[in-house]
């Protein structure tokens, strides 16, 4: 177990201190920043040896990391992390902490899922406190269930620490709600892996006008998604939005309709990871005062 290191955590708090200093310049300075973080932020608790913490790293912006996640990263003996964890989040991990990269990309897995579970068990049985760091929220399309099963089979205790999922972050950065009285009374998250030839979704169940539909891992399936929803009854002009690298400096987006989005994407390709949002709530992007151009925004 590692004692709480305030130095990496203070990096995470710098933006908070800058904001506070606009209203109270007396807070500037290392000593006063340290007093502010220790007295005002509830950073309590320790990483327990032999325990695994399944932690959500959020969508990439380090300021969207939870306080608990930041504390655990500063305390853990070992961190097992994925490809989608932001560099600024990884920078919070103190020197000397064991790092184990187990990232996955489409068609390229650095370590099979069963071996990831075995690695966590091995580290915990060695008496180490382990943070299993996942992009977004670990419980949303993060294969957390399989990792919990591996830990349970080995009688290793675990704690789940939620994070901000990509859908929430993308909607916030584009200035729209995920649910809205006038647009969407329901919200559905779907993995686009079901759009493979051997796993066709029930498009008729997904083609609703009263909900926001969010596809994860679907960048290569945009044409199939648009065609499936149109064939199931949604109109050609039904709104759709693609947001890549949500909340990060290189965020990119496309807003269009089910009819024109495949052509838009072909003309202006987006990188992965990318979330796909379908629903009339997308029309709010054009008029939202909260739609951020994060390339030019000042925080």
């Amino acid at each position: 177990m590692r004692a709480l290191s305030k130095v990496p955590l203070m990096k995470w708090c710098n933006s908070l201190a800058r904001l506070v200093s606009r209203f109270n310049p007396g807070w500037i300075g290392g000593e006063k920043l340290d007093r502010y973080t220790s007295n005002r932020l509830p950073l309590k608790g320790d990483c327990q040896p032999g325990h695994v913490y399944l932690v959500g790293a959020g969508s990439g912006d380090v300021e969207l990391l939870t306080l608990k996640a930041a504390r655990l990263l500063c305390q853990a003996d070992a961190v097992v992390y994925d490809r989608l964890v932001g560099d600024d989040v990884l920078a919070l991990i103190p020197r000397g902490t064991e790092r184990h990269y187990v990232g996955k990309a489409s068609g390229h897995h650095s370590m099979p899922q069963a071996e990831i579970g075995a690695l966590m068990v091995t580290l915990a049985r060695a008496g180490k406190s382990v943070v299993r760091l996942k992009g977004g929220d670990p419980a949303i399309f993060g294969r957390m269930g399989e990792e919990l099963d591996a830990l349970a089979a080995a009688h290793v205790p675990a704690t789940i620490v939620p994070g901000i999922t990509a859908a929430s972050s993308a909607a916030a950065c584009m200035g729209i709600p995920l649910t809205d009285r006038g647009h969407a009374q329901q919200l559905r998250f779907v993995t686009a892996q079901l759009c493979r030839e051997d796993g066709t979704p029930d498009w008729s169940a997904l083609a609703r006008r009263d909900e926001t539909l969010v596809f994860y891992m679907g960048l290569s399936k945009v044409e199939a998604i648009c065609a499936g929803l149109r064939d199931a009854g949604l109109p050609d002009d039904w709104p759709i939005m693609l947001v890549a690298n949500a909340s990060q400096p290189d965020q990119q987006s496309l807003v269009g309709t089910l009819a024109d989005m495949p052509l838009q994407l072909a003309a202006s390709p987006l990188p992965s990871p990318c979330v796909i949002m379908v629903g009339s709530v997308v029309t709010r992007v054009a008029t939202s005062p909260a739609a951020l151009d994060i390339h030019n925004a000042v925080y």
Side-chain angles (χ1 to χ4, degrees), residues 124-142:
R125 283 180 170 171
K128 297 175 181 178
S129 55
V130 182
V131 165
R132 173 67 174 104
L133 191 61
K134 294 172 171 284
D137 184 287
I140 299 178
F141 303 129

Side-chain angles (χ1 to χ4, degrees), residues 100-185:
H100 300 270
Y101 175 69
V102 295
K104 299 182 179 72
S106 180
H108 301 281
H109 293 183
S110 64
M111 183 178 291
Q113 186 63 42
E115 292 184 19
I116 295 174
L119 172 62
M120 292 189 297
V121 169
T122 298
L123 292 170
R125 283 180 170 171
K128 297 175 181 178
S129 55
V130 182
V131 165
R132 173 67 174 104
L133 191 61
K134 294 172 171 284
D137 184 287
I140 299 178
F141 303 129
R143 303 188 72 170
M144 187 183 75
E146 295 166 67
E147 296 182 2
L148 285 172
D149 289 343
L151 296 173
H155 305 289
V156 173
T159 297
I160 300 169
V161 180
I164 294 180
T165 188
S168 296
S169 184
C173 288
M174 298 301 291
I176 64 172
L178 286 168
T179 61
D180 184 272
R181 285 188 176 187
H183 293 275
Q185 294 77 51

Side-chain angles (χ1 to χ4, degrees), residues 157-210:
T159 297
I160 300 169
V161 180
I164 294 180
T165 188
S168 296
S169 184
C173 288
M174 298 301 291
I176 64 172
L178 286 168
T179 61
D180 184 272
R181 285 188 176 187
H183 293 275
Q185 294 77 51
Q186 299 186 82
L187 172 63
R188 192 185 314 219
F189 293 165
V190 182
T191 170
Q193 299 303 312
L194 287 175
C195 298
R196 295 172 176 168
E197 292 181 2
D198 58 348
T200 302
D202 183 354
W203 293 114
S204 61
L206 297 177
R208 298 178 59 106
R209 297 177 183 237
D210 62 347

Side-chain angles (χ1 to χ4, degrees), residues 193-291:
Q193 299 303 312
L194 287 175
C195 298
R196 295 172 176 168
E197 292 181 2
D198 58 348
T200 302
D202 183 354
W203 293 114
S204 61
L206 297 177
R208 298 178 59 106
R209 297 177 183 237
D210 62 347
E211 74 176 12
T212 302
L213 187 60
V214 182
F215 289 92
Y216 284 68
M217 299 170 285
L219 189 59
S220 64
K221 311 293 193 303
V222 169
E223 185 172 0
I225 290 169
C226 291
L229 293 174
R230 291 168 69 191
D231 290 344
L234 287 181
D236 289 353
D237 62 354
W238 197 244
I240 180 173
M241 175 175 71
L242 277 57
V243 183
N245 296 323
S247 82
Q248 300 185 56
D250 56 349
Q251 175 179 308
Q252 300 177 55
S253 62
L254 293 173
V255 179
T257 68
L258 293 179
D260 68 23
M261 184 53 73
L263 292 176
Q264 278 202 56
L265 183 60
S268 302
L270 296 181
S272 179
C274 181
V275 293
I276 302 165
M277 302 180 64
V278 180
S280 63
V281 73
V282 171
T283 60
R284 296 183 63 108
V285 171
T287 58
S288 174

